[in-house]
Amino acid sequence: MARRKKIYEGKAKILYEGPEPGTLVQYFKDDATAFNAEKKDVIDGKGVLNNRLSEFFMTGLNNIGVPNHFLKRLNMREQLIRSCEIVPLEVIVRNFAAGSMAKRLGMEEGSQLPRPVIEFSYKDDSLGDPLVPEEYIMAFGWASQQDMDDIVAMALRVNDFLAGVMFGVGIKLIDFKIEFGRVWEGDFMRLIVADEISPDSCRLWDIETGRKLDKDVFRQDLGSLSDAYSEVARRLGVLPGNVTTTNTKPTLVN
Ligand code: TMP
Protein backbone atom coordinates (compact mmCIF):
# COMPACT_ATOMS: atom_id res chain seq x y z
CA MET A 1 0.00 0.00 0.00
CA ALA A 2 1.38 3.43 -0.90
CA ARG A 3 2.09 5.70 2.01
CA ARG A 4 0.84 9.25 1.61
CA LYS A 5 3.33 12.05 1.79
CA LYS A 6 3.56 14.07 4.96
CA ILE A 7 4.16 17.72 4.09
CA TYR A 8 4.39 19.23 7.56
CA GLU A 9 3.78 18.29 11.18
CA GLY A 10 2.95 20.97 13.73
CA LYS A 11 2.00 20.81 17.39
CA ALA A 12 -1.71 20.14 16.84
CA LYS A 13 -2.04 19.20 13.17
CA ILE A 14 -0.40 17.28 10.34
CA LEU A 15 -0.59 18.24 6.66
CA TYR A 16 -0.50 15.50 4.02
CA GLU A 17 -0.36 15.77 0.26
CA GLY A 18 -3.92 16.04 -1.09
CA PRO A 19 -5.60 14.00 -3.84
CA GLU A 20 -5.31 16.80 -6.43
CA PRO A 21 -2.69 19.47 -7.08
CA GLY A 22 -3.34 22.53 -4.97
CA THR A 23 -4.97 20.54 -2.15
CA LEU A 24 -3.78 19.18 1.18
CA VAL A 25 -5.29 16.94 3.84
CA GLN A 26 -5.27 18.57 7.27
CA TYR A 27 -5.29 16.03 10.15
CA PHE A 28 -6.21 17.23 13.66
CA LYS A 29 -4.23 15.55 16.44
CA ASP A 30 -5.33 15.12 20.06
CA ASP A 31 -2.11 16.77 21.27
CA ALA A 32 -2.46 19.92 23.33
CA THR A 33 0.48 22.20 24.01
CA ALA A 34 0.89 25.53 25.76
CA PHE A 35 3.68 27.99 26.51
CA ASN A 36 5.50 27.05 23.31
CA ALA A 37 5.15 23.34 24.01
CA GLU A 38 6.62 23.51 27.53
CA LYS A 39 3.32 22.04 28.70
CA LYS A 40 2.00 19.02 26.78
CA ASP A 41 -0.78 16.48 27.01
CA VAL A 42 -2.98 14.31 24.86
CA ILE A 43 -6.67 15.16 25.18
CA ASP A 44 -8.89 12.35 23.91
CA GLY A 45 -11.20 13.63 21.21
CA LYS A 46 -9.77 17.16 20.89
CA GLY A 47 -8.80 16.58 17.25
CA VAL A 48 -12.30 15.37 16.36
CA LEU A 49 -13.89 18.40 18.00
CA ASN A 50 -11.50 20.90 16.39
CA ASN A 51 -11.95 19.32 12.96
CA ARG A 52 -15.72 19.80 13.29
CA LEU A 53 -15.52 23.25 14.82
CA SER A 54 -13.04 24.57 12.28
CA GLU A 55 -15.27 23.17 9.49
CA PHE A 56 -18.25 24.98 11.05
CA PHE A 57 -16.51 28.37 11.29
CA MET A 58 -14.78 28.18 7.91
CA THR A 59 -18.02 27.13 6.17
CA GLY A 60 -19.82 30.06 7.81
CA LEU A 61 -17.07 32.43 6.67
CA ASN A 62 -17.34 31.06 3.13
CA ASN A 63 -21.07 31.72 3.23
CA ILE A 64 -20.52 35.39 4.03
CA GLY A 65 -17.78 35.75 1.43
CA VAL A 66 -14.63 35.58 3.53
CA PRO A 67 -12.33 33.36 1.44
CA ASN A 68 -10.59 30.54 3.29
CA HIS A 69 -8.77 27.28 2.78
CA PHE A 70 -11.57 24.86 3.74
CA LEU A 71 -12.89 22.60 0.97
CA LYS A 72 -14.51 19.55 2.57
CA ARG A 73 -14.45 17.44 5.70
CA LEU A 74 -13.16 13.97 4.87
CA ASN A 75 -13.66 12.08 8.12
CA MET A 76 -13.57 12.49 11.90
CA ARG A 77 -10.11 13.99 12.00
CA GLU A 78 -9.32 15.15 8.49
CA GLN A 79 -10.39 17.89 6.14
CA LEU A 80 -9.45 18.71 2.57
CA ILE A 81 -8.01 22.22 2.28
CA ARG A 82 -6.52 24.44 -0.42
CA SER A 83 -2.80 24.50 -0.22
CA CYS A 84 -1.44 28.00 0.27
CA GLU A 85 1.74 29.75 1.23
CA ILE A 86 1.35 30.74 4.88
CA VAL A 87 2.08 34.38 5.72
CA PRO A 88 4.48 34.10 8.69
CA LEU A 89 2.21 36.08 11.03
CA GLU A 90 -0.21 35.22 13.80
CA VAL A 91 -2.99 37.78 13.53
CA ILE A 92 -4.64 38.36 16.91
CA VAL A 93 -7.90 40.24 17.34
CA ARG A 94 -8.93 41.28 20.85
CA ASN A 95 -12.31 42.55 22.06
CA PHE A 96 -11.60 42.28 25.80
CA ALA A 97 -8.27 42.35 27.62
CA ALA A 98 -6.91 38.90 28.50
CA GLY A 99 -3.78 36.79 28.30
CA SER A 100 -0.60 38.51 27.21
CA MET A 101 -2.28 41.91 26.69
CA ALA A 102 -3.76 41.97 30.21
CA LYS A 103 -0.36 40.99 31.60
CA ARG A 104 1.66 43.45 29.52
CA LEU A 105 -0.55 46.43 30.30
CA GLY A 106 -1.59 45.45 33.83
CA MET A 107 -5.25 45.33 32.81
CA GLU A 108 -7.94 43.31 34.51
CA GLU A 109 -8.87 40.18 32.48
CA GLY A 110 -12.19 40.74 30.80
CA SER A 111 -12.13 44.56 30.65
CA GLN A 112 -13.74 45.73 27.43
CA LEU A 113 -11.45 47.41 24.90
CA PRO A 114 -12.59 50.69 23.31
CA ARG A 115 -12.57 48.94 19.92
CA PRO A 116 -11.27 45.67 18.50
CA VAL A 117 -7.48 45.74 18.66
CA ILE A 118 -5.37 43.82 16.14
CA GLU A 119 -1.81 42.74 16.78
CA PHE A 120 0.73 40.63 14.91
CA SER A 121 3.24 38.03 16.04
CA TYR A 122 6.03 36.71 13.87
CA LYS A 123 5.53 32.94 13.47
CA ASP A 124 8.73 31.42 14.77
CA ASP A 125 8.57 28.87 17.59
CA SER A 126 12.28 29.16 18.31
CA LEU A 127 11.71 32.85 19.15
CA GLY A 128 8.39 32.21 20.94
CA ASP A 129 6.30 33.97 18.24
CA PRO A 130 7.32 37.53 19.23
CA LEU A 131 4.90 40.43 18.91
CA VAL A 132 6.00 42.64 15.99
CA PRO A 133 5.01 46.14 14.82
CA GLU A 134 3.73 46.63 11.25
CA GLU A 135 6.97 48.49 10.51
CA TYR A 136 8.91 45.20 10.90
CA ILE A 137 6.40 43.35 8.72
CA MET A 138 6.93 45.82 5.87
CA ALA A 139 10.68 46.22 6.37
CA PHE A 140 11.35 42.48 6.34
CA GLY A 141 8.93 41.88 3.47
CA TRP A 142 6.72 39.39 5.35
CA ALA A 143 3.68 41.16 3.87
CA SER A 144 3.10 44.30 1.79
CA GLN A 145 0.98 47.31 2.72
CA GLN A 146 -1.77 46.00 0.41
CA ASP A 147 -1.58 42.56 2.08
CA MET A 148 -1.84 44.19 5.51
CA ASP A 149 -4.89 46.23 4.45
CA ASP A 150 -6.56 43.02 3.22
CA ILE A 151 -5.52 41.09 6.35
CA VAL A 152 -6.91 43.76 8.71
CA ALA A 153 -10.18 44.03 6.75
CA MET A 154 -10.64 40.24 6.73
CA ALA A 155 -9.63 39.84 10.38
CA LEU A 156 -12.32 42.38 11.39
CA ARG A 157 -14.94 40.55 9.32
CA VAL A 158 -13.93 37.27 10.97
CA ASN A 159 -14.23 39.01 14.35
CA ASP A 160 -17.75 40.29 13.63
CA PHE A 161 -18.82 36.88 12.33
CA LEU A 162 -17.34 34.87 15.21
CA ALA A 163 -18.48 37.32 17.90
CA GLY A 164 -22.05 37.22 16.51
CA VAL A 165 -22.19 33.44 16.20
CA MET A 166 -20.77 32.97 19.70
CA PHE A 167 -23.05 35.62 21.23
CA GLY A 168 -26.00 33.70 19.77
CA VAL A 169 -25.08 30.70 21.93
CA GLY A 170 -24.30 32.64 25.11
CA ILE A 171 -20.53 32.88 24.65
CA LYS A 172 -18.39 36.02 24.70
CA LEU A 173 -15.55 36.15 22.15
CA ILE A 174 -12.68 37.62 24.15
CA ASP A 175 -9.99 37.27 21.47
CA PHE A 176 -8.71 34.91 18.79
CA LYS A 177 -5.76 34.19 16.52
CA ILE A 178 -5.97 33.49 12.80
CA GLU A 179 -3.48 32.92 10.03
CA PHE A 180 -3.53 33.85 6.37
CA GLY A 181 -2.19 32.18 3.25
CA ARG A 182 -1.52 33.23 -0.33
CA VAL A 183 -3.07 31.50 -3.33
CA TRP A 184 -2.54 32.34 -6.97
CA GLU A 185 -5.46 32.63 -9.36
CA GLY A 186 -4.01 33.19 -12.82
CA ASP A 187 -1.70 36.17 -12.52
CA PHE A 188 -3.32 37.33 -9.30
CA MET A 189 -2.37 36.53 -5.74
CA ARG A 190 -5.00 36.67 -3.08
CA LEU A 191 -5.06 36.13 0.64
CA ILE A 192 -7.29 33.58 2.29
CA VAL A 193 -7.92 32.60 5.91
CA ALA A 194 -5.97 29.41 6.63
CA ASP A 195 -4.85 27.10 9.50
CA GLU A 196 -7.83 26.56 11.84
CA ILE A 197 -10.45 28.36 13.88
CA SER A 198 -11.21 26.42 17.06
CA PRO A 199 -11.19 26.83 20.85
CA ASP A 200 -7.43 26.13 20.63
CA SER A 201 -6.97 29.57 19.06
CA CYS A 202 -9.78 31.63 20.67
CA ARG A 203 -10.76 32.78 24.13
CA LEU A 204 -14.40 31.97 24.77
CA TRP A 205 -16.20 32.79 28.03
CA ASP A 206 -19.71 31.79 29.00
CA ILE A 207 -21.68 35.05 29.17
CA GLU A 208 -23.67 34.08 32.29
CA THR A 209 -21.02 32.44 34.44
CA GLY A 210 -17.70 33.55 32.94
CA ARG A 211 -16.68 29.89 32.63
CA LYS A 212 -13.75 29.51 30.23
CA LEU A 213 -14.50 27.25 27.27
CA ASP A 214 -11.15 27.41 25.43
CA LYS A 215 -7.50 26.32 25.68
CA ASP A 216 -7.00 28.44 28.83
CA VAL A 217 -8.73 25.49 30.60
CA PHE A 218 -5.60 23.49 29.73
CA ARG A 219 -3.10 26.37 30.14
CA GLN A 220 -4.44 27.17 33.62
CA ASP A 221 -5.50 23.65 34.77
CA LEU A 222 -9.16 24.64 35.10
CA GLY A 223 -10.69 21.20 34.48
CA SER A 224 -11.56 19.04 31.49
CA LEU A 225 -10.60 20.55 28.15
CA SER A 226 -12.71 18.08 26.18
CA ASP A 227 -15.77 18.96 28.31
CA ALA A 228 -15.20 22.65 27.53
CA TYR A 229 -14.79 22.09 23.76
CA SER A 230 -17.75 19.67 23.69
CA GLU A 231 -19.86 22.36 25.34
CA VAL A 232 -18.96 24.85 22.58
CA ALA A 233 -19.70 22.22 19.90
CA ARG A 234 -22.99 21.23 21.54
CA ARG A 235 -24.21 24.82 21.77
CA LEU A 236 -23.35 25.44 18.13
CA GLY A 237 -25.17 22.24 17.09
CA VAL A 238 -21.92 20.97 15.62
CA LEU A 239 -21.87 17.65 17.44
CA PRO A 240 -25.09 15.98 16.37
CA GLY A 241 -26.46 13.22 18.60
CA ASN A 242 -23.94 10.97 20.21
CA VAL A 243 -20.90 11.25 17.98
CA THR A 244 -18.11 9.55 19.86
CA THR A 245 -15.07 11.74 19.76
CA THR A 246 -12.62 9.02 20.73
CA ASN A 247 -13.17 6.89 17.62
CA THR A 248 -9.95 7.26 15.69
CA LYS A 249 -11.01 5.21 12.66
CA PRO A 250 -11.46 7.39 9.59
CA THR A 251 -15.12 7.59 8.60
CA LEU A 252 -15.96 8.86 5.15
CA VAL A 253 -18.62 11.54 4.92
CA ASN A 254 -20.63 12.33 1.78
P1 TMP B 1 -2.25 35.76 24.12
O1 TMP B 1 -3.14 36.64 24.96
O2 TMP B 1 -1.60 34.65 24.89
O3 TMP B 1 -1.28 36.57 23.32
O4 TMP B 1 -3.21 35.03 23.06
C1 TMP B 1 -4.05 35.76 22.18
C2 TMP B 1 -4.94 34.81 21.42
O5 TMP B 1 -4.17 33.99 20.56
C3 TMP B 1 -5.73 33.84 22.29
O6 TMP B 1 -7.03 33.71 21.72
C4 TMP B 1 -5.02 32.54 22.19
C5 TMP B 1 -4.37 32.61 20.84
N1 TMP B 1 -3.08 31.96 20.75
C6 TMP B 1 -2.85 30.99 19.79
O7 TMP B 1 -3.76 30.64 19.03
N2 TMP B 1 -1.62 30.42 19.71
C7 TMP B 1 -0.59 30.79 20.52
O8 TMP B 1 0.50 30.24 20.39
C8 TMP B 1 -0.83 31.82 21.51
C9 TMP B 1 0.27 32.25 22.43
C10 TMP B 1 -2.07 32.36 21.57
Side-chain angles (χ1 to χ4, degrees), residues 159-177:
N159 186 42
D160 285 346
F161 170 78
L162 286 182
V165 167
M166 298 317 295
F167 183 75
V169 296
I171 294 173
K172 192 146 88 169
L173 178 67
I174 302 296
D175 57 31
F176 64 95
K177 182 268 296 184

Side-chain angles (χ1 to χ4, degrees), residues 32-238:
T33 65
F35 315 117
N36 207 8
E38 272 175 39
K39 180 173 173 146
K40 284 187 206 172
D41 204 351
V42 176
I43 312 288
D44 254 3
K46 180 173 87 79
V48 173
L49 288 161
N50 282 353
N51 186 25
R52 290 267 187 163
L53 284 163
S54 203
E55 171 192 16
F56 175 81
F57 295 126
M58 295 292 187
T59 304
L61 286 173
N62 243 326
N63 290 340
I64 63 159
V66 177
N68 64 74
H69 74 170
F70 181 81
L71 294 171
K72 183 181 187 255
R73 184 163 59 83
L74 297 171
N75 55 52
M76 302 270 283
R77 288 177 183 276
E78 294 178 333
Q79 48 184 246
L80 188 68
I81 57 168
R82 286 184 77 174
S83 96
C84 58
E85 186 186 297
I86 291 287
V87 176
L89 297 173
E90 300 207 330
V91 178
I92 294 154
V93 183
R94 300 180 188 270
N95 299 304
F96 299 86
S100 63
M101 173 190 248
K103 196 169 165 198
R104 190 178 313 116
L105 301 180
M107 293 171 87
E108 193 181 334
E109 280 232 315
S111 27
Q112 185 156 16
L113 302 176
R115 61 176 177 82
V117 172
I118 304 188
E119 65 188 41
F120 307 96
S121 295
Y122 178 55
K123 259 175 77 69
D124 186 327
D125 279 343
S126 67
L127 300 173
D129 300 336
L131 193 66
V132 287
E134 273 197 66
E135 176 72 2
Y136 288 16
I137 298 171
M138 309 292 156
F140 295 115
W142 298 326
S144 68
Q145 184 63 61
Q146 176 67 56
D147 292 342
M148 293 309 285
D149 292 348
D150 291 349
I151 283 173
V152 166
M154 276 196 271
L156 290 174
R157 288 197 72 195
V158 174
N159 186 42
D160 285 346
F161 170 78
L162 286 182
V165 167
M166 298 317 295
F167 183 75
V169 296
I171 294 173
K172 192 146 88 169
L173 178 67
I174 302 296
D175 57 31
F176 64 95
K177 182 268 296 184
I178 46 173
E179 295 182 23
F180 289 86
R182 298 174 206 282
V183 290
W184 276 269
E185 284 158 8
D187 287 343
F188 294 93
M189 183 280 287
R190 79 172 169 144
L191 287 158
I192 62 173
V193 176
D195 190 51
E196 74 176 280
I197 300 179
S198 76
D200 265 12
S201 50
C202 300
R203 283 198 175 90
L204 305 169
W205 295 4
D206 180 71
I207 290 177
E208 295 265 301
T209 63
R211 177 185 165 200
K212 293 183 180 179
L213 297 168
D214 56 67
K215 204 161 96 175
D216 273 352
V217 171
F218 171 71
R219 293 189 189 98
Q220 301 168 6
D221 295 316
L222 298 178
S224 159
L225 192 70
S226 56
D227 282 359
Y229 288 22
S230 299
E231 177 65 16
V232 175
R234 191 191 60 74
R235 288 196 201 183
L236 293 169
V238 168

